[in-house]
Amino acid sequence: MKNSEIKALSLEELQEKLNTEKTNMQNLRFAHAISPLENPMKIREAKATIARLNTELRRREIEANS
């Protein structure tokens, strides 16, 4: 998910997407622990997406408090 796509989301959509991505990453980690994933880079991509979503949420929180 690109930053431009993330910035276009509403606050509720951001939080929903964040929860979805966290669940997705947890499932990927469990699957990888049981048997190696075909593409383990998906874990890294999910982690980066979560970081981008958290960054945008914090940026909006700071703007709202300013």
Side-chain angles (χ1 to χ4, degrees), residues 5-65:
E5 295 171 349
I6 291 173
K7 288 181 181 181
L9 297 174
S10 70
L11 187 60
E12 294 81 24
E13 290 172 330
L14 272 173
Q15 291 171 339
E16 182 181 318
K17 187 71 174 168
L18 181 61
N19 289 334
T20 303
E21 285 296 322
K22 283 183 177 181
T23 304
N24 182 36
M25 188 174 72
Q26 186 177 21
N27 290 337
L28 285 171
R29 284 186 172 168
F30 285 149
H32 189 61
I34 294 169
S35 65
L37 293 175
E38 187 173 314
N39 185 2
M41 289 298 292
K42 288 187 179 270
I43 296 172
R44 186 182 291 183
E45 290 169 7
K47 205 170 163 184
T49 300
I50 290 170
R52 285 189 201 100
L53 291 167
N54 277 327
T55 300
E56 182 64 21
L57 281 171
R58 285 190 197 104
R59 185 186 67 79
R60 290 185 187 188
E61 182 179 299
I62 290 171
E63 286 179 358
N65 290 336

